[in-house]
Amino acid sequence: LSKKIVTTENLDIDFITNLTSRDKPAGIILTRGSLTAHAVTIIREAKIPSVLAKDLNFKNKKDAEIKENGEIKLYE
């Protein structure tokens, strides 16, 4: 089980299926899509915590904190 949190805008079903079944990240941050997307359903069924954060820009950021309420704080 990975302790990493994956950030992705890729909602390709093959990518998400491989990610959830093979890599098993501790969590996933989606930067596009919707809560009703098929990829989100796959992630939820795999019991991997996820958050949808549209337009989240990780460029030039070194770390992120995800609070229980879903708020994401980025650090340089």
Side-chain angles (χ1 to χ4, degrees):
L1 180 65
S2 173
K3 297 294 182 186
K4 294 183 179 179
I5 295 177
V6 174
T7 303
T8 185
E9 65 177 26
N10 186 348
L11 297 181
D12 177 74
I13 297 305
D14 290 334
F15 172 79
I16 294 296
T17 301
N18 286 331
L19 179 66
T20 58
S21 63
R22 182 180 43 135
D23 297 332
K24 293 279 188 182
I28 299 173
I29 300 172
L30 299 169
T31 59
R32 76 178 181 95
S34 73
L35 295 176
T36 59
H38 190 80
V40 174
T41 302
I42 292 171
I43 294 166
R44 184 175 53 245
E45 292 299 316
K47 299 189 182 342
I48 297 172
S50 65
V51 64
L52 178 61
K54 288 187 176 184
D55 302 321
L56 186 64
N57 184 354
F58 271 92
K59 291 180 183 177
N60 301 318
K61 305 300 180 192
K62 293 184 180 178
D63 206 357
E65 175 185 2
I66 304 172
K67 298 184 178 185
E68 288 184 26
N69 66 1
E71 179 185 341
I72 300 173
K73 184 173 183 178
L74 301 175
Y75 299 98
E76 293 191 27

